[in-house]
């Protein structure tokens, strides 16, 4: 048998009643019969007691008879099975797994620290019990392997100065990366009968040796982008100012004066600090 087999054993309460009747009845018959049959009845009742089985909600018991798989009990309740069955308990509850922070290289070769949070549960008790040695350890090892593979498939972030423009990155594409991680882990754990309910990145950062350098790089990229916007806006404002002055005949500017005006306006609009005005009491040329 290679697949899970769901069984429903005998009612445990009925067998409990028979056990009590046989056990205490045999004790009561000892002084009356004065034979070994009463002792045999007591021993037989004690053997039957090993067959009682209790299954809690979202729990299961895998039953074996001298190494042969008999079936799995998933329905919660109080049962009685063959006393010689081996009963292996497997929980069907959802479990959380927070992996360790792994140091791996992303698609661009940058060392990063990454970890994942996994929510999983057993849905096939036969595979979990017999297809892998230890299904809980199997979950941990395969999750780490999947995270390492995922980190090598995507860059940590885009770098415009190097012409790197990926559609999916580890930092910004949270949903896409989580879906890819969940699919990768689910494929790996299916051999153990494990169902992946959710998988997402729990921690993501550059490795310590390059963290400061990457932070400065991100700050520089942000400053350059901000400067680009400032210059673009300043040029538009200067162009509008010259156009309005010429249109309303406020002042007649030749090319040299226009150049001086453009230079002054660009300094004022693009400067980091407020401009200090200078009062000119002479002509426009002095």
């Amino acid at each position: 048998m290679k697949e899970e087999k769901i069984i429903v054993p005998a009612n445990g309460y009925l067998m409990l009643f028979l056990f009590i009747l046989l056990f205490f009845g045999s004790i009561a018959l000892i002084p009356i019969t004065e034979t070994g049959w009463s002792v045999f009845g007591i021993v037989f009742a004690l053997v039957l007691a090993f067959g009682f089985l209790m299954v809690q909600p979202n729990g299961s018991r895998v039953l074996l008879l001298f190494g042969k798989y008999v079936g799995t009990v998933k329905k919660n309740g109080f049962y009685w099975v063959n006393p010689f069955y081996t009963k292996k308990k497997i929980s069907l509850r959802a479990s959380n797994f927070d992996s360790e922070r792994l140091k791996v290289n992303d698609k661009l070769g940058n060392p990063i620290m990454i970890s994942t949070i996994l929510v999983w549960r057993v849905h096939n008790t036969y595979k979990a019990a017999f297809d892998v040695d230890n299904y809980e350890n199997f979950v941990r090892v395969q999750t780490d392997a999947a995270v390492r593979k995922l980190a090598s498939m995507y860059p940590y972030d885009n770098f415009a100065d190097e012409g790197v423009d990926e559609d999916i990155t580890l930092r910004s594409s949270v949903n896409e990366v989580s879906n890819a991680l969940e699919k990768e882990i689910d494929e790996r754990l299916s051999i153990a009968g494990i169902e992946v309910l959710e998988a997402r990145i729990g921690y993501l950062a550059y490795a310590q040796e390059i963290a400061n350098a990457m932070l400065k790089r991100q700050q520089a990229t942000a400053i350059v982008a901000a400067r680009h916007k400032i210059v673009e806006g300043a040029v538009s404002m200067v162009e509008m100012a010259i156009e309005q002055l010429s249109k309303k005949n406020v002042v007649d500017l030749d090319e040299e004066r226009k150049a001086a005006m453009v230079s002054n306006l660009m300094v004022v609009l693009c400067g980091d600090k407020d401009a200090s005005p200078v009062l000119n009491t002479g002509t426009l040329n002095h």
Side-chain angles (χ1 to χ4, degrees), residues 19-278:
F19 165 76
I20 295 175
L21 185 63
L22 179 61
F23 182 76
F24 291 101
S26 299
I27 294 177
L29 290 176
I30 290 178
I32 299 175
T33 60
E34 297 182 353
T35 61
W37 289 104
S38 297
V39 177
F40 175 79
I42 295 174
V43 174
F44 183 70
L46 293 176
V47 172
L48 292 179
F50 288 98
F52 290 113
L53 175 67
M54 183 179 295
V55 179
Q56 297 179 352
N58 287 324
S60 68
R61 292 293 183 93
V62 177
L63 305 180
L64 300 174
L65 180 60
F66 303 119
K68 181 180 179 181
Y69 175 67
V70 176
T72 301
V73 182
K74 287 187 175 181
K75 185 177 180 181
N76 61 295
F78 183 57
Y79 304 103
W80 183 87
V81 296
N82 189 327
F84 297 100
Y85 282 172
T86 300
K87 312 171 192 69
K88 184 175 182 179
K89 185 178 181 181
I90 295 181
S91 175
L92 303 180
R93 298 181 178 92
S95 300
N96 282 323
F97 171 60
D98 189 0
S99 68
E100 297 181 358
R101 295 178 181 179
L102 305 175
K103 184 177 180 180
V104 297
N105 292 332
D106 68 354
K107 185 177 180 180
L108 302 179
N110 297 318
I112 62 175
M113 301 297 296
I114 187 172
S115 69
T116 184
I117 298 176
L118 177 67
V119 182
W120 60 276
R121 66 181 177 189
V122 176
H123 75 92
N124 189 313
T125 57
Y126 179 87
K127 291 183 178 181
F130 306 115
D131 283 357
V132 294
D133 183 43
N134 186 324
Y135 68 90
E136 293 181 343
N137 183 65
F138 187 82
V139 170
R140 290 191 292 269
V141 174
Q142 292 301 319
T143 299
D144 290 347
V147 171
R148 291 181 182 275
K149 180 180 178 180
L150 179 82
S152 65
M153 293 172 57
Y154 305 108
Y156 180 92
D157 202 356
N158 285 321
F159 296 106
D161 55 340
E162 292 186 357
V164 178
D165 188 14
E166 296 283 347
D167 294 332
I168 300 177
T169 62
L170 296 174
R171 185 184 66 85
S172 60
S173 306
V174 178
N175 293 333
E176 292 81 356
V177 172
S178 297
N179 292 336
L181 178 62
E182 183 176 331
K183 182 179 178 181
E184 178 68 23
I185 298 177
D186 188 64
E187 292 177 353
R188 292 173 177 266
L189 299 184
S190 61
I191 187 177
I194 305 297
E195 177 186 7
V196 177
L197 302 178
E198 182 185 5
R200 56 187 175 86
I201 301 298
Y203 178 85
L204 180 65
Y206 282 112
Q208 186 175 1
E209 59 267 25
I210 67 167
N212 292 333
M214 286 301 179
L215 178 59
K216 292 180 181 178
R217 182 174 186 173
Q218 290 176 352
Q219 292 174 342
T221 302
I223 291 174
V224 171
R227 287 293 182 186
H228 182 272
K229 289 294 183 181
I230 292 173
V231 172
E232 183 178 346
V235 170
S236 177
M237 294 175 65
V238 170
E239 182 181 4
M240 182 178 63
I242 295 176
E243 181 181 354
Q244 291 295 324
L245 289 173
S246 301
K247 183 177 180 181
K248 296 182 179 181
N249 295 322
V250 176
V251 63
D252 187 15
L253 299 175
D254 55 18
E255 295 300 323
E256 182 179 354
R257 291 176 179 175
K258 286 183 179 179
M261 180 180 177
V262 169
S263 176
N264 292 334
L265 287 176
M266 291 297 293
V267 170
V268 171
L269 295 174
C270 297
D272 291 332
K273 301 179 180 180
D274 295 337
S276 299
V278 177

